[in-house]
Amino acid sequence: MPQLIIAAGKPYLVMQPEHRADLENLVSLLRSGGLSADLQITEYDPGRRGISFNQAEAVAIYIGGAMTVTVIANLTNDIYDRVKNWAIARFLAKVKNDPNGLHRPETFTIYGPDNEILKSWTIDDGGEHES
């Protein structure tokens, strides 16, 4: 069975409880589809500083385990659809809470077993972007 690692957080940013809860919901969503998924959050390192103005709330999804190219492709598409829907809902909630403000983008990248980028997607005030 493929193993998914969902990684988020930065050592120079305090993760808000709402964001942590949303990530835990994402892991539950993936598990409800029969996938094995674990959450790894990089915790804030007191004293670290970084620029975070309107920086995307990024999620990295790592697919681990030996599988065929076809299985990886199908799994990637399934993960992509689930995580995209989750990210859209998060972004639209930000817009609803502050219709006239700048909204922190949501982005995710799916990595294959060899750490190659399989798919990447972002939503921001300019719309959706896939690569």
Side-chain angles (χ1 to χ4, degrees):
M1 169 184 274
Q3 174 66 34
L4 301 180
I5 303 293
I6 312 306
K10 303 217 180 296
Y12 55 85
L13 289 175
V14 175
M15 182 171 289
Q16 298 303 311
E18 302 82 25
H19 189 195
R20 184 181 300 269
D22 286 346
L23 289 165
E24 290 170 356
N25 287 338
L26 173 60
V27 170
S28 294
L29 173 71
L30 292 168
R31 286 178 180 161
S32 72
L35 299 170
S36 176
D38 292 315
L39 179 59
Q40 291 183 353
I41 295 177
T42 300
E43 299 293 345
Y44 173 67
D45 183 8
R48 292 275 310 258
R49 299 288 183 258
I51 298 172
S52 65
F53 175 73
N54 214 31
Q55 185 178 34
E57 293 186 334
V59 176
I61 302 153
Y62 298 92
I63 300 173
M67 60 199 96
T68 67
V69 172
T70 302
V71 170
I72 291 172
N74 290 337
L75 182 59
T76 300
N77 289 332
D78 181 43
I79 294 167
Y80 179 86
D81 291 340
R82 291 169 187 258
V83 180
K84 181 178 171 182
N85 290 334
W86 172 86
I88 288 171
R90 278 199 89 223
F91 188 78
L92 292 178
K94 293 175 194 178
V95 172
K96 182 178 178 184
N97 287 338
D98 185 10
N100 299 316
L102 288 176
H103 307 99
R104 189 171 279 208
E106 292 287 333
T107 187
F108 66 89
T109 303
I110 303 171
Y111 296 88
D114 295 326
N115 285 330
E116 73 277 14
I117 295 175
L118 303 176
K119 280 194 172 186
S120 186
W121 183 87
T122 301
I123 187 170
D124 57 26
D125 289 318
E128 297 180 29
H129 317 279
E130 180 180 341
S131 58

